[in-house]
Every structure is written in structure tokens, then in C-alpha cells.
Amino acid sequence: MKILVLNAGSSSQKSCLYEIMADQLPEQPAEPLWQAQIDWTHQPGKAELQVKTAKAELKESIAFESRSPVMSYMLSTLWSGVTQVIADAQEINGVGHRVVHGGQNYRNSVRVTPEVKAAIAGLVDRAPVHNPVNLRGIEVIEEILGNVPQVAVFDTAFHAQIPDAAALYPVPYEWIEQGIRRYGFHGTSHRYCAQKTAQILGKDLKDLKIVTCHLGNGCSLAAIREGRSVNTTMGFTPLDGLMMGNRSGSIDPSILIYLLRQGYPINKLDHLLNQASGLLGVSGVSNDMRLVTAAAEQGNYRAKLAIDIYIHRLQALIGEMIATLNGLDALVFTAGVGENAAEIRAAACQNFSYMGIKLDPEKIPIAHEIR
Ligand code: ADP
């Protein structure tokens, strides 16, 4: 089967085409035939497209007003131009979508139906940055590929079994009964990283205590024991936990009450916490770690402060995850910042030298242009 996978993140759209053989184990995915990434936010009004196959690479800057035409163009590079890997769109047998919030009803992957689309739309208020673009991705595929089977893979599913002590907030019990609890996100990424770690270490996942650090534009940690998520930093929505590219992460909830009493409109608070906080809000430079780091290196005080807060919170919450696990066999980094920013990884590890985490300076990191 040829399966197209779409991952609409908050700042990027990543896609791969995989050819899956009948005898292939799910935990040993093959290299993709085609990989593409669109970066929405690097330059305003422009989307940066990178496409890579075994034989060719394509890099283009595209005028960007709405996502759909850019995504259509990206998909057309599958069957035309230098990166062509299939004769036409009909060769695609199925499409898998990362969908951020599946709520309480979707704890496993499901085939997309009108009801599933309605459920994803119904959860937009709980994942306002992601669920709308995930839904848009499903619709773009319907427009281009017609009736191809589509599957929604929910970020929340991997965390569905987090014990109540970690999943529930200490709030009035009626709130808990309404479904207000920690759902956790980036589950597909955390699960994959745990499996890959066991493979690399040559150990059984059941014997490992792992903390996975997904540091992209959105950031979250997971504490994984016996292959299961037992704690994570994102919560009821993807706003909880670590400081992120443009999200605040956890703040004292009374700050909101204080600002509401000052007359701040709810939508403005929503926007400020989800879009104008984090690295962008503190530094005033960007939500992109590359630009914030460059500004800090040139002596920009607010950029340096933003990185200091980012690292402080990362260390503190890694500590929380280790405490939940009562030990650690592997600390794993992934996503844009985790994969590429060696200095952030080093800073995160610094306060765990007491546990025996040591960095090997000989192992020079390789920066991946496409992930
Ligand atoms: P998302 O999926 O949440 O959109 P990604 O995992 O694609 O996020 O990560 C995007 C972020 O990764 C960028 O905003 C940028 O901050 C960071 N990033 C990418 N490359 C680098 C790099 N070479 N050095 C530091 N940060 C990087």
C-alpha cells in the first residue's frame, strides 16, 4: 500500500508518502518515498516548501494567503516535476492524519466519516490552533483525492491511560464530571520516540523508563513506563506545561482572573496566550528558536531572557517527569528544537548531571534541514 501521512503542526505542515509491504512490522517503518515540509511562519506572506526524495530535492518559496493552494501544490510534487514518485494521485491507497484533540470518545485511530469530522470540529475550542488545520487537511484531501480512505490518528490517544492522580486537576468534582482533565497531546510523537528508543538501545520497551521531550513550536514532555504514558505536561488543551514558540505554557490561573477583572475580552486573552506569548511574547523577536537564539547572541536582552525562561521550565518539568517515573533510562529529544538545537538539549541536561547524564562532545549534532 502507498500511504500518505499528513501532520499539520502549528507552524508547519509535514507530509510523507510511505510504501508499506505486507510483511512489514508497524514498529519498523520504512524510509518514506517522498517527504515534504511547508514552513508557514518563517517569513510573513511566504510559505517555504521543501520536498525530498531518494533522487531529488526541491526548495521553493511560495506566496501564501491560505493553506489549501499551498498544500495542493505540495501534493502535486508527488506526481509531477523532479520529485515525482507516483504516476498519479490514484496510486495513493490511504491517507493518515495527525489530529490533535480526540476528546474522551476517540482513544484509538478511526476511519474518517462525517461524524468523525463533526467531532473534530466540535473540539476546536479545546485545540484552537490545531483542530481547524487538521480538519482543513482532511478536506483538502477530499477535494484532491476524492473518496480515498482517510484515518484520523489522535494526539490524545497515547495519554488516555494516564492514572487519575496525574490526569485530574484538583478542582470542584463537577468539573471533573464534565470531562475537564489532562488529555495530553503530541501522543503519536511520544509513542514513536519511545518505540524507537527501545529499538536503538536494543531493549524491551516494557523494561524502560523514558522521558520524551517534544520541543517544536508546541512543546510537551511525556513520562513513559512500560511503553505507556504515565504523565505529560500538556493538559486539557495544548496550552498547559512548557513554554512554547508562541504559547505561554502553565501560568498562575489567577493572572487570567486578574486580567478579566481589568476588562480584557476573552478572545483577546485566548489570542495572547495561544499566539502572542512564549518565545515570541517574551523576546518580541519571533516564535522561532533560530531567530531568538541569533538575537540573544547579538546581545538582545529580551531574547536571552526568553531562552533562560524556556530552559528553566524545561529543566523543572523534566524533573517532574523523572519524579513520576522514580528513575530514568533514557531522555529523548525530538521535533524542530529538540532535533536541531544542540545548545538547548545541553542546557536541559545540565541540571541532571547528578543522575549521571553526561554529554559526549565528540558526537557532533547533525542539523537536519528536513525532518
Ligand atoms: P510544529 O510541528 O509544532 O509546527 P516543528 O517540530 O516543526 O513544530 O518545530 C518548529 C520549530 O523548530 C521552529 O519554530 C524553530 O523554533 C525550531 N527549529 C527548527 N530548526 C531549528 C534549528 N536548526 N535550530 C533551532 N531551532 C530550530
Side-chain angles (χ1 to χ4, degrees):
M1 288 179 84
K2 293 208 177 72
I3 297 181
L4 179 67
V5 177
L6 294 187
N7 169 6
S10 53
S11 67
S12 63
Q13 167 71 57
K14 292 174 201 157
S15 309
C16 290
L17 184 77
Y18 289 95
E19 184 160 26
I20 311 283
M21 302 303 174
D23 56 355
Q24 201 170 316
L25 296 173
E27 62 273 21
Q28 291 178 328
E31 280 300 303
L33 296 179
W34 168 98
Q35 294 180 68
Q37 177 165 332
I38 305 167
D39 229 309
W40 302 112
T41 52
H42 213 51
Q43 278 181 45
K46 287 247 165 94
E48 306 292 332
L49 172 68
Q50 291 182 61
V51 186
K52 199 168 143 190
T53 65
K55 293 197 189 122
E57 258 186 68
L58 176 75
K59 278 192 187 184
E60 272 184 55
S61 204
I62 304 166
F64 159 49
E65 277 177 33
S66 68
R67 288 186 182 227
S68 304
V70 183
M71 281 178 67
S72 303
Y73 180 72
M74 174 192 81
L75 293 176
S76 73
T77 68
L78 277 164
W79 53 81
S80 59
V82 290
T83 58
Q84 178 180 7
V85 286
I86 52 177
D88 58 48
Q90 303 315 314
E91 274 190 51
I92 298 170
N93 303 103
V95 182
H97 293 266
R98 172 222 184 177
V99 178
V100 163
H101 212 314
Q104 272 181 316
N105 294 336
Y106 294 102
R107 296 187 163 209
N108 287 304
S109 304
V110 288
R111 178 100 176 243
V112 174
T113 61
E115 295 75 56
V116 171
K117 280 167 60 183
I120 296 168
L123 290 161
V124 159
D125 58 343
R126 298 196 195 172
V129 181
H130 295 92
N131 269 32
V133 292
N134 300 151
L135 198 55
R136 194 68 207 112
I138 292 173
E139 287 162 356
V140 168
I141 294 297
E142 282 170 353
E143 285 157 22
I144 300 171
L145 302 183
N147 282 336
V148 67
Q150 300 200 63
V151 171
V153 180
F154 296 102
D155 263 16
T156 41
F158 181 56
H159 303 296
Q161 291 172 352
I162 287 181
D164 281 351
L168 299 181
Y169 295 105
V171 291
Y173 200 76
E174 308 90 84
W175 295 12
I176 296 172
E177 287 175 326
Q178 271 181 48
I180 292 182
R181 47 166 277 147
R182 183 183 304 285
Y183 287 96
F185 300 88
H186 293 142
T188 322
S189 168
H190 290 299
R191 175 169 34 209
Y192 174 79
C193 285
Q195 286 169 351
K196 196 77 191 168
T197 301
Q199 220 180 63
I200 291 170
L201 298 179
K203 296 213 165 137
D204 192 333
L205 190 50
K206 290 219 152 51
D207 298 331
L208 293 175
K209 293 174 178 173
I210 303 172
V211 172
T212 45
C213 308
H214 180 110
L215 308 176
N217 188 47
C219 302
S220 73
L221 308 179
I224 300 169
R225 185 166 50 220
E226 298 178 6
R228 289 185 176 187
S229 171
V230 290
N231 197 3
T232 190
T233 55
M234 282 181 170
F236 180 60
T237 72
L239 186 56
D240 204 1
L242 293 167
M243 174 175 175
M244 313 185 204
N246 33 16
R247 275 171 264 167
S248 60
S250 312
I251 61 166
D252 180 344
S254 291
I255 296 171
L256 291 180
I257 296 165
Y258 170 80
L259 293 172
L260 283 168
R261 286 198 177 122
Q262 281 193 7
Y264 268 77
I266 292 171
N267 286 346
K268 185 169 176 186
L269 284 177
D270 187 359
H271 170 80
L272 291 174
L273 290 172
N274 277 296
Q275 312 278 352
S277 295
L279 290 174
L280 173 65
V282 178
S283 72
V285 174
S286 171
N287 65 327
D288 191 318
M289 184 60 92
R290 289 166 284 201
L291 302 181
V292 180
T293 308
E297 278 164 7
Q298 283 168 7
N300 181 319
Y301 165 75
R302 279 174 55 185
K304 189 174 175 317
L305 182 64
I307 295 172
D308 288 347
I309 302 172
Y310 186 96
I311 289 167
H312 170 81
R313 292 185 159 229
L314 182 55
Q315 290 172 335
L317 291 185
I318 290 174
E320 178 188 324
M321 296 298 117
I322 294 172
T324 304
L325 293 173
N326 186 18
L328 184 69
D329 296 304
L331 181 63
V332 183
F333 292 90
T334 190
V337 176
E339 287 173 33
N340 297 297
E343 61 289 354
I344 301 290
R345 290 198 301 265
C349 291
Q350 216 170 29
N351 282 14
F352 299 98
S353 54
Y354 74 93
M355 294 181 62
I357 295 185
K358 271 193 245 148
L359 297 182
D360 182 347
E362 297 279 301
K363 295 198 167 145
I364 297 164
I366 301 159
H368 297 284
E369 280 202 47
I370 189 159
R371 300 176 300 278

